[in-house]
Amino acid sequence: TFDSREVGRGDLFLALKGEATDGHRFLDQAFAQGAAGAVVSADTPHAHVRVADTMAALEDLGRASRARMQGKVIGVTGSVGKTGTKEALFAALDRPEPGRAHRSVKSYNNHTGVPLSLARMPRETQFGVFEMGMNHAGELAALTQIVRPHVAIVTTIAPAHTEFFRDESAIADAKGEIFQGREAGGTAIVPFDSPHRDRLIAAAQPYAAHIVTFGLGEGADVRAIETMRTRTGGTFVTARLGERELSFTLSQPGQHWVANAMAILAAVDAVGSDLELAGLALAEMGGLPGRGARFLAKVDGGEALVIDESYNANPASMRATLAVLGAEPVEARRIVLLGEMRELGSESDAYHAALADPIRAAGVSRAILVGEGMAALAKALEGQIDFVHVPDAASARASLESMLAPGDAVLVKGSNAVGLASVVASLAGRG
């Protein structure tokens, strides 16, 4: 680990030097918590391996772990749904033979998180699933050369980190870099319903032996041909893979999760794992903290449903989760606590204002908007629904806790930096 707060007994601590801090400052803490050794680039009295560059050492550890692994590796990227798809795919691949699948740590998907996740992969791993993110062109090209996936998935292309890209097609090009590190004879899995489908297919063709499309539209190689909402809020799905059909219950609500499930089935099929057991894993998968987890919070006189989407947000994921809230049967009101969406560049106001329509369509009764970036949405909602616009998570928490009533359903979503996870934690403490 490179986070001294996460060190456990027997761990190897990597003292990385970053822009804000230097891991060498935390060596005493790491060893006090049980570290067995450290990788350092400076003198220390603790047990260590000294190298010229600790970041380069971490990358080399990742490459070495990848080189010794004899199983199949899957890389996952996209503007929306990376972590959920990664976790669900891990569950699907781990189901036939528990303990033989491995996946990225948390949402560690950048230049430090990816090699760390690879370095933690056991030698005997049969299936490795790695999330890869980016906010600049060229970043995925570097990461995919370390991961070297046999199967590469692009989930959804949508506005995210747009301040760093000229338009959405440039985002698609950057996501398509994942195909460049592919192992010979590998498979590219591409969203059929995306307006950037052909662009992604063109990016994959020089590298992939097989290109598989997934989605909801007729013509997709792996397609949901029938869906029906279940009483528990999930979806009963019948999927078609070529000439085969598979019916299963998807525990996660929303059409975006149906599409993600098609990508998961395509990947399971590509690596030769068990599709039927994958269906069972998708039925049993619980919500992820910050990405759809649900719980009941105690309020005066009863309980309110909390939908935790607090980890991150962009325009596409906002619309998808608002649709989920709109389909939720509630006894009282639908409430949203929405934090501003970061890194949207010059179009930020337009993206925020455009959320007014899906908020109204979801039947939202009250809204709490958090952060300066929400000013455009506040203006768009004037005279439409009851809302408050507050500066920070602490103010949002006070507003929400004062208004919650029995039978309410509240969606909490915003960019991670807004800090809405603290509001969720407060509500969870009431459970």
Side-chain angles (χ1 to χ4, degrees), residues 107-335:
S107 293
Y108 286 0
N109 60 24
N110 63 7
H111 67 289
T112 53
V114 169
L116 175 72
S117 297
L118 279 165
R120 287 186 173 185
M121 181 168 57
R123 182 192 303 271
E124 303 79 16
T125 297
Q126 185 176 356
F127 300 110
V129 187
F130 297 94
E131 175 182 343
M132 287 181 272
M134 63 88 204
N135 55 23
H136 290 84
E139 291 178 344
L140 271 179
L143 291 177
T144 195
Q145 295 298 334
I146 300 175
V147 175
R148 295 184 5 248
H150 298 89
V151 176
I153 301 171
V154 178
T155 57
T156 301
I157 304 298
H161 312 298
T162 53
E163 67 177 290
F164 307 120
F165 295 94
R166 71 178 185 277
D167 55 25
E168 200 170 283
S169 64
I171 297 174
D173 290 340
K175 295 297 184 183
E177 293 171 10
I178 192 173
F179 304 126
Q180 297 175 17
R182 301 276 308 295
E183 288 290 274
T187 301
I189 299 177
V190 173
F192 179 84
D193 304 309
S194 171
H196 307 289
R197 175 189 66 208
D198 293 342
R199 199 177 193 97
L200 291 168
I201 288 173
Q205 281 174 334
Y207 307 99
H210 310 283
I211 298 175
V212 178
T213 61
F214 70 91
L216 309 179
E218 187 160 354
D221 297 318
V222 181
R223 179 188 170 215
I225 57 174
E226 259 186 348
T227 62
M228 181 175 66
R229 183 180 171 86
T230 67
R231 291 181 179 178
T232 57
T235 308
F236 182 76
V237 182
T238 299
R240 179 171 292 154
L241 300 85
E243 299 301 316
R244 297 164 292 167
E245 288 188 6
L246 173 70
S247 294
F248 63 97
T249 298
L250 176 62
S251 63
Q252 304 302 305
Q255 287 294 94
H256 61 299
W257 258 107
V258 175
N260 290 345
M262 297 305 101
I264 291 160
L265 293 180
V268 169
D269 193 43
V271 298
S273 191
D274 192 309
L275 284 168
E276 287 77 15
L277 290 180
L280 289 176
L282 292 172
E284 296 172 356
M285 185 177 173
L288 303 174
R291 294 182 173 84
R294 293 167 170 236
F295 61 89
L296 295 173
K298 290 181 181 177
V299 298
D300 290 342
E303 295 176 318
L305 172 66
V306 179
I307 303 172
D308 175 18
E309 287 276 356
S310 60
Y311 183 78
N312 222 336
N314 60 40
S317 64
M318 280 283 199
R319 288 192 297 272
T321 50
L322 284 165
V324 169
L325 178 66
E328 192 68 37
V330 297
E331 298 174 15
R333 303 168 298 176
R334 296 183 182 91
I335 297 171

Side-chain angles (χ1 to χ4, degrees), residues 300-380:
D300 290 342
E303 295 176 318
L305 172 66
V306 179
I307 303 172
D308 175 18
E309 287 276 356
S310 60
Y311 183 78
N312 222 336
N314 60 40
S317 64
M318 280 283 199
R319 288 192 297 272
T321 50
L322 284 165
V324 169
L325 178 66
E328 192 68 37
V330 297
E331 298 174 15
R333 303 168 298 176
R334 296 183 182 91
I335 297 171
V336 292
L337 194 170
L338 304 179
E340 62 185 346
M341 302 176 290
R342 302 282 178 88
E343 297 184 355
L344 292 179
S346 61
E347 297 299 309
S348 179
D349 283 352
Y351 285 128
H352 283 87
L355 295 177
D357 286 342
I359 286 173
R360 288 190 290 266
V364 171
S365 301
R366 302 196 71 179
I368 302 170
L369 311 178
V370 189
E372 292 182 10
M374 280 293 183
L377 177 56
K379 185 175 181 180

Side-chain angles (χ1 to χ4, degrees), residues 51-119:
V51 297
D53 183 333
T54 52
M55 185 63 230
L58 174 59
E59 291 177 353
D60 285 343
L61 283 170
R63 290 189 184 96
S65 181
R66 173 65 184 87
R68 73 180 184 175
M69 188 263 204
Q70 299 301 304
K72 298 292 186 180
V73 172
I74 302 169
V76 182
T77 194
S79 305
V80 185
K82 293 186 295 295
T83 302
T85 298
K86 178 256 298 183
E87 290 291 331
L89 184 51
F90 165 78
L93 294 171
D94 196 55
R95 181 65 186 260
E97 199 171 346
R100 297 298 299 277
H102 173 79
R103 87 283 210 186
S104 295
V105 182
K106 300 180 182 178
S107 293
Y108 286 0
N109 60 24
N110 63 7
H111 67 289
T112 53
V114 169
L116 175 72
S117 297
L118 279 165

